[in-house]
Amino acid sequence: MAGKKSTIIGKAQKKIDGIELVTGRARFTADLRFPQMVYGYARRAGIPAGKIKRIDKEHALGIPGVLDVITASDLPGPNLIGILPPFDQPLLAEEEVRYAGESIALVVAETRDIAKRASLSIVAEIEPLEPVLTVDEALKPEARKIHPHGNITFSRKLIKGDVEKGFERADIVVENTYETSFQEHAYLETEAVCVVPHGDGRITVYASCQSPFHIRGHIAVNLNVPASRVKVIQAYTGGSFGGKDDVATEMGCLAAIAAIRLNRAVMIVHDREESIIGSNLRHASRIHYKTGATKEGKIIAREVKILLDGGAYASESPFVTMKTLIHAAGPYNIENVFVESTAVYTNKTYCGAFRGFGVPQVTFASESQMDELASELEMDPLELRLKNALKAGDATATGQVFRKSVGLVKTIQVIDGKRKHVQSKKLQDEERWLYGTGFSCLLQGISNGAEGIDVVGASVQVSQDGSVLVGVGLSDMGQGSRTVFAQVAAEVLGVSMERVTVKQVDTESVHDSGPTIASRSTTVGGMAVLKAAQEVKNSLVKMAALMFNTREEKVVLKDGFASLYEDDSARIPLDKVATAAYWNGFPLMNLAFSKAPDANYDHQTHQGDIYIAYNFGTHMMRIRIDRYTGKVEVLKHIAAHDLGKAINPQGVEGQVEGASLMGFGLAHLEEVLYDRGIIQNPNFADYAVPGIKERLPTETVIIEDYNPTGPFGAKGIGEPPVAGAAAAFANAVADATGIRFLRLPITREVILEALRGKQ
Amino acid sequence: MIVDFNLNEKDYMVDVPPDMRALDLIRDVLRLTGVKEGCGRGECGACTILVNGKPFNSCLLYAVKLNGKKVLTIEGLAQADGSLHPLQEAFLNEGAVQCGYCTPGMILSAKALLDENPSPEEEEIEEALSGNICRCTGYKKIVTAVKAGAKVMREKV
């Protein structure tokens, strides 16, 4: 079906929503206007920890144009967000403030300017508490408890084999501690929601988000209304990367409460500063690695201890903790593994989902350690990786065995084949420039896995004119999943891309498919579309067979026609077939589900089958460093990923290039800086999002090791390159300078200081 | 205060408060929402508009400053019949758009460059787009798109 002749699968496709985006016609949430719409703006705590004594609204309420000031005591429901257990996060802080960016009140006013100014007129008496600002402080037995259950958010162990015995047999052991810092999503569109009440008890929510059903569920709970009365429409979303989940839920609930109180449409749009201080970040981490190997370079034991600074609330810390646990051993076949991962509360902005979900942090540490081990063994870094690489039939760190689609070795080989050419380039001005090459290997689990249920519902509907409507409960935040879904349906039904429409996600028209995370859209979502399309195809084929007066097996759908296998010239336009199918009562719509197999998983030892597939990759980065200024130039970056099948190769390249630059930002440029619990750089002047001059010369190499659990063999690619690029950069810097940097970001200043120290 | 200006080939006379930003005049009063706000501090370029052919961050520009000027936003770029500008085509074809939030500003900055310099070197493209942040694409395809658009524009002349 998707054979060599396909003009859709495996061919570069333009984004199906691209025209709206290049013409400025796409409506993002903040672009919307409704009659009598008013604006909400949150008052934030301003201090990292304290007891709320009094919040005085009077002054703010007296300002002309101010309609309402909402505090925790005004909330009708349980005052709860926190999208996962332990559900520890309030919409508005009630008794205690736990981070400086936390909302304590919402002002609603006729204009956004008035709301913003009035928010500062609220008198908030907060008795400061000594903030708990570091993981070390938080873990001290005498530390003040940030939450009643203590300062440990979540802690788990992974136990495979016997790591102690493994180390006893090791000829060589390397050990080190690595750190990474907080990273901000920095999507260009800040968070925005708009809630429109309808007067009959129903409300419509427009949101920039990645999990519309989370928003619906939380609004229902916090307003005490049936979820069926809440319709959440995902507006065009200007990037999300894991970020517009919890915060969109918080804003959606607050705007909905205000909208019901005032019976007016309420819009909340974040400033850039609010977006940085008031929504989740990537976890900072401290990771201790110990790796034991034989003198031949076979790794036989790996022990990893991970501490994640999760900030003030749990958010997705539990799942990020699990993800670090599962990925810490790296993409290697290691007999004995012990990992302990712990997320800790501090009085800082909460951390949660961010593209990669903990994997970039452990991959940086793990791959640094691989190079240190290679150096101890006097072995080539790629050879060491190849020697230990997971292959089909090997057991991962959780003991899961994949018989198919383990393409790591191919990614290493392709990089190995290219490196000689890259490294043989003549070096210029070696007196000034230090040259270095870094490698990294990685794996990233695809699907929610045993961390949660993974089901996607997709509908495919064929109209009498033969056009196709697809609805999937997963959000396109820019990554191009709608285009992939259209490709899958077009391929199955034999129509052109122009004949397929993919719904804007709204909770009334698509099935709840959980959050859009874990690089699962193409794999799990695409599979659901495939199944639904096949069901509808069956109706069309059945009808066409009747019209041809032949057997169903002889009918093929392609190029907008039903035709006969043996005789292409005998064909009926698809609209005729669809119309006839309609009049014969054959179903032309189907809702199908793609469900990952039930995980067979031991949550005590973290052993068992967890994901439906892994993406595997190898990166190489060639850099040079100006020894006098620390300036880094990336000369070459090759990212080879086994992604099963590239449904839209141009989209794949876009994901690899964009995710790689995000990883490079984490490794070299970006850091959310705190001083006594207050973020010091909540803007793009002081927080260094990579600009066009910092772009990477990324070359994407697509390896296709067919994955039986994805549509046409595909696996996701949205997250994995972040880890690959970050780790390869760190190793390239070490290779160039001879200095092993143990903390990200390795900025120009850090490099320069180290080079000076070395002299 | 009255602002008398030309926006996307149409003349407007609007009474605006003296402290209104050009961004708000265009978005909220005239309701052309292709111009985006990303930071409100001139740091991201999402609100780029062309004023007499030169790119400006409309969040840092008072609306009254548009008086007597000719302004172009992304809505004015395609032909009246809907056919796209070569840069819009190129951004689409080359995959230079992901979420699309930076795209209007990015395309306008590129247009300002190409109107002045039809055959820019890569460094000149970098310089011209250095005020526009994109978090999705990694910029590589944006540079390719600007080159592709430039080629089509040169051939059209």
Side-chain angles (χ1 to χ4, degrees):
Chain A
M1 189 171 53
K4 290 189 180 68
K5 274 181 283 181
S6 174
T7 55
I8 292 172
I9 301 293
K11 295 281 181 301
Q13 302 288 344
K14 284 184 251 186
K15 275 176 85 78
I16 60 168
D17 44 6
I19 300 244
E20 297 95 295
L21 294 169
V22 298
T23 55
R25 289 203 300 264
R27 293 277 177 265
F28 293 76
T29 302
D31 301 338
L32 304 171
R33 294 293 179 272
F34 295 92
Q36 290 215 302
M37 189 175 95
V38 294
Y39 294 82
Y41 196 96
R43 166 64 186 262
R44 294 176 189 275
I47 61 166
K51 290 277 183 206
I52 298 175
K53 292 290 164 196
R54 189 174 66 99
I55 298 177
D56 185 351
K57 315 171 176 181
E58 289 312 310
H59 200 64
L61 281 168
I63 294 172
V66 172
L67 302 166
D68 200 0
V69 176
I70 301 168
T71 60
S73 60
D74 301 315
L75 300 177
N79 190 13
L80 177 79
I81 52 167
I83 59 173
L84 301 162
F87 302 114
D88 58 5
Q89 190 169 0
L91 285 175
L92 294 172
E94 192 154 10
E95 288 167 1
E96 188 171 332
V97 163
R98 296 188 177 87
Y99 71 101
E102 186 162 17
S103 303
I104 58 170
L106 184 81
V107 180
V108 190
E110 294 286 353
T111 72
R112 189 166 179 275
D113 279 349
I114 296 173
K116 184 172 179 174
R117 272 187 281 127
S119 74
L120 300 170
S121 307
I122 293 170
V123 180
E125 240 179 70
I126 306 173
E127 186 183 296
L129 291 167
E130 189 57 41
V132 179
L133 295 176
T134 66
V135 168
D136 293 326
E137 281 173 47
L139 289 176
K140 283 181 186 159
E142 70 275 19
R144 183 174 62 79
K145 285 182 179 174
I146 295 173
H147 289 275
H149 53 279
N151 292 339
I152 291 179
T153 318
F154 195 81
S155 185
R156 288 291 185 276
K157 293 186 179 81
L158 178 149
I159 304 162
K160 180 190 180 190
D162 186 334
V163 83
E164 289 308 322
K165 285 198 177 138
F167 281 120
E168 279 167 23
R169 287 193 287 120
D171 300 313
I172 193 158
V173 174
V174 290
E175 199 167 355
N176 226 333
T177 303
Y178 310 86
E179 289 181 337
T180 67
S181 61
F182 298 104
Q183 189 181 25
E184 157 64 18
H185 300 85
Y187 22 70
L188 254 275
E189 182 209 22
T190 59
E191 304 83 358
V193 299
C194 182
V195 176
V196 184
H198 296 298
D200 60 354
R202 292 182 308 122
I203 60 170
T204 299
V205 182
Y206 298 83
S208 175
C209 66
Q210 63 181 73
S211 302
F213 287 93
H214 275 171
I215 300 179
R216 184 181 73 164
H218 280 81
I219 288 177
V221 167
N222 280 290
L223 269 73
N224 194 23
V225 296
S228 55
R229 288 199 197 135
V230 180
K231 175 180 183 175
V232 180
I233 299 172
Q234 187 217 349
Y236 270 93
T237 298
S240 188
F241 316 117
K244 289 173 178 167
D245 208 340
D246 316 54
V247 67
T249 304
E250 172 189 323
M251 294 165 74
C253 290
L254 288 175
I257 290 163
I260 295 295
R261 281 165 70 95
L262 295 165
N263 199 24
R264 309 256 311 248
V266 176
M267 170 88 80
I268 305 178
V269 182
H270 272 176
D271 291 340
R272 178 57 59 187
E273 178 168 347
E274 292 182 284
S275 178
I276 295 175
I277 67 171
S279 79
N280 69 288
L281 303 170
R282 186 190 297 287
H283 291 76
S285 67
R286 189 198 301 147
I287 309 173
H288 182 83
Y289 266 84
K290 185 177 167 189
T291 306
T294 65
K295 56 184 184 301
E296 293 78 29
K298 178 72 195 140
I299 299 171
I300 49 176
R302 211 156 203 207
E303 184 183 83
V304 189
K305 288 184 179 157
I306 302 161
L307 279 175
L308 300 168
D309 186 340
Y313 293 103
S315 178
E316 302 203 31
S317 279
F319 290 174
V320 173
T321 306
M322 281 181 67
K323 205 127 192 167
T324 59
L325 204 67
I326 292 156
H327 291 75
Y332 306 113
N333 181 8
I334 305 173
E335 207 181 313
N336 306 293
V337 182
F338 176 88
V339 191
E340 185 174 12
S341 187
T342 304
V344 179
Y345 289 119
T346 57
N347 286 119
K348 289 184 282 193
T349 295
Y350 63 97
C351 296
F354 192 158
R355 196 180 203 171
F357 218 77
V359 179
Q361 292 96 316
V362 293
T363 303
F364 151 66
S366 161
E367 290 302 297
S368 294
Q369 179 119 100
M370 288 301 284
D371 270 18
E372 290 165 75
L373 178 62
S375 165
E376 288 287 323
L377 289 162
E378 291 177 6
M379 197 170 174
D380 174 75
L382 273 187
E383 192 191 330
L384 175 66
R385 287 169 171 87
L386 191 60
K387 192 166 202 122
N388 293 283
L390 275 171
K391 299 175 192 69
D394 290 346
T396 66
T398 71
Q400 185 170 8
V401 176
F402 287 93
R403 302 278 166 206
K404 289 202 164 74
S405 202
V406 185
L408 177 64
V409 166
K410 281 182 239 174
T411 68
I412 297 174
Q413 285 166 341
V414 76
I415 294 288
D416 192 30
K418 286 171 177 273
R419 70 163 151 174
K420 285 192 188 69
H421 177 67
V422 171
Q423 288 178 307
S424 66
K425 287 239 165 97
K426 201 171 170 305
L427 309 183
Q428 292 171 336
D429 195 1
E430 281 187 90
E431 193 273 324
R432 175 178 168 199
W433 295 100
L434 301 165
Y435 286 79
T437 309
F439 302 96
S440 68
C441 289
L442 69 120
L443 79 174
Q444 177 115 28
I446 303 300
S447 72
N448 293 345
E451 300 156 48
I453 187 158
D454 198 325
V455 181
V456 175
S459 66
V460 170
Q461 183 182 8
V462 172
S463 304
Q464 290 189 51
D465 68 355
S467 67
V468 182
L469 179 63
V470 178
V472 188
L474 296 173
S475 301
D476 195 335
M477 301 83 83
Q479 77 275 38
S481 55
R482 287 172 79 188
T483 306
V484 166
F485 298 148
Q487 284 179 270
V488 171
E491 177 71 28
V492 174
L493 293 163
V495 299
S496 66
M497 288 290 282
E498 290 71 31
R499 300 293 286 165
V500 184
T501 303
V502 180
K503 289 180 193 175
Q504 189 170 16
V505 172
D506 84 63
T507 53
E508 287 185 0
S509 74
V510 297
H511 196 278
D512 187 348
S513 301
T516 305
I517 55 167
S519 299
R520 65 195 274 263
S521 292
T522 292
T523 318
V524 191
M527 206 66 169
V529 175
L530 183 80
K531 285 183 179 175
Q534 276 167 343
E535 287 299 320
V536 179
K537 180 188 176 186
N538 289 343
S539 286
L540 294 169
V541 166
K542 197 164 133 192
M543 188 66 240
L546 287 171
M547 293 164 91
F548 280 123
N549 195 18
T550 185
R551 294 201 312 277
E552 287 169 31
E553 309 85 76
K554 295 191 179 278
V555 175
V556 59
L557 303 185
K558 66 173 187 185
D559 306 331
F561 291 90
S563 51
L564 295 177
Y565 267 112
E566 58 254 34
D567 181 7
D568 248 3
S569 63
R571 57 186 204 173
I572 309 169
L574 200 66
D575 59 324
K576 297 274 190 300
V577 180
T579 303
Y582 169 80
W583 284 106
N584 280 280
F586 294 168
L588 288 174
M589 181 166 176
N590 185 267
L591 176 65
F593 294 87
S594 166
K595 184 173 180 297
D598 287 333
N600 167 24
Y601 201 70
D602 179 342
H603 284 263
Q604 292 309 309
T605 59
H606 286 268
Q607 291 299 294
D609 298 343
I610 179 153
Y611 299 122
I612 60 170
Y614 280 97
N615 178 302
F616 295 94
T618 303
H619 284 226
M620 170 171 69
M621 204 177 276
R622 174 80 169 157
I623 66 168
R624 64 177 189 176
I625 297 172
D626 184 332
R627 75 170 86 225
Y628 303 114
T629 66
K631 183 182 179 311
V632 176
E633 285 180 14
V634 179
L635 305 170
K636 192 92 189 164
H637 173 228
I638 306 177
H641 282 270
D642 162 30
L643 45 96
K645 171 79 191 171
I647 304 263
N648 180 4
Q650 190 184 62
V652 168
E653 286 172 12
Q655 288 303 300
V656 175
E657 291 163 15
S660 292
L661 189 59
M662 215 169 241
F664 181 71
L666 173 73
H668 183 45
L669 299 166
E670 299 177 38
E671 176 168 15
V672 175
L673 296 167
Y674 278 96
D675 181 21
R676 281 160 285 179
I678 309 286
I679 292 177
Q680 300 297 299
N681 53 348
N683 57 67
F684 288 162
D686 299 312
Y687 182 87
V689 177
I692 195 164
K693 291 182 183 179
E694 283 91 30
R695 76 185 183 283
L696 295 173
T698 301
E699 179 190 327
T700 302
V701 179
I702 293 171
I703 303 292
E704 296 182 325
D705 195 331
Y706 185 91
N707 166 36
T709 60
F712 308 104
K715 301 190 280 194
I717 183 65
E719 299 175 280
V722 177
F729 174 76
N731 285 338
V733 174
D735 188 44
T737 61
I739 304 166
R740 173 63 51 188
F741 292 85
L742 298 172
R743 182 181 184 278
L744 299 184
I746 309 166
T747 62
R748 178 177 173 167
E749 293 75 23
V750 167
I751 294 170
L752 187 60
E753 200 176 315
L755 286 173
R756 284 186 178 146
K758 198 181 163 191
Q759 276 167 8
Chain B
M1 295 174 83
I2 299 292
V3 192
D4 185 350
F5 75 120
N6 180 285
L7 174 61
N8 300 335
E9 302 298 333
K10 268 201 213 159
D11 292 325
Y12 289 87
M13 252 171 97
V14 193
D15 193 0
V16 302
D19 63 345
M20 178 178 263
R21 303 180 299 174
L23 173 66
D24 300 320
L25 168 62
I26 296 168
R27 277 182 61 84
D28 287 347
V29 180
L30 303 174
R31 294 295 293 134
L32 294 183
T33 55
V35 52
K36 301 298 180 198
E37 179 161 7
C39 69
R41 296 169 37 127
E43 291 160 4
C44 77
C47 67
T48 303
I49 57 171
L50 301 191
V51 180
N52 289 356
K54 298 259 183 289
F56 282 86
N57 287 316
S58 62
C59 72
L60 294 185
L61 197 64
Y62 285 118
V64 290
K65 287 280 188 187
L66 299 181
N67 195 40
K69 301 289 197 316
K70 203 170 152 45
V71 176
L72 182 76
T73 72
I74 194 72
E75 288 90 346
L77 201 56
Q79 302 281 314
D81 67 359
S83 59
L84 298 180
H85 185 274
L87 275 168
Q88 291 173 311
E89 285 280 4
F91 268 64
L92 257 184
N93 293 336
E94 300 297 334
V97 181
Q98 284 189 30
C99 84
Y101 201 80
C102 74
T103 306
M106 200 69 84
I107 288 178
L108 288 169
S109 289
K111 180 179 188 296
L113 167 72
L114 298 182
D115 286 346
E116 288 255 311
N117 177 1
S119 308
E121 299 292 326
E122 196 155 309
E123 292 74 29
E124 293 172 309
I125 296 174
E126 282 179 7
E127 198 55 45
L129 301 186
S130 61
N132 294 84
I133 294 177
C134 168
R135 189 54 153 172
C136 297
T137 64
Y139 302 99
K140 192 181 168 199
K141 293 190 188 307
I142 290 174
V143 174
T144 310
V146 173
K147 287 181 186 167
K151 185 157 178 283
V152 174
M153 283 168 74
R154 283 198 301 272
E155 285 162 2
K156 277 198 172 172
V157 173

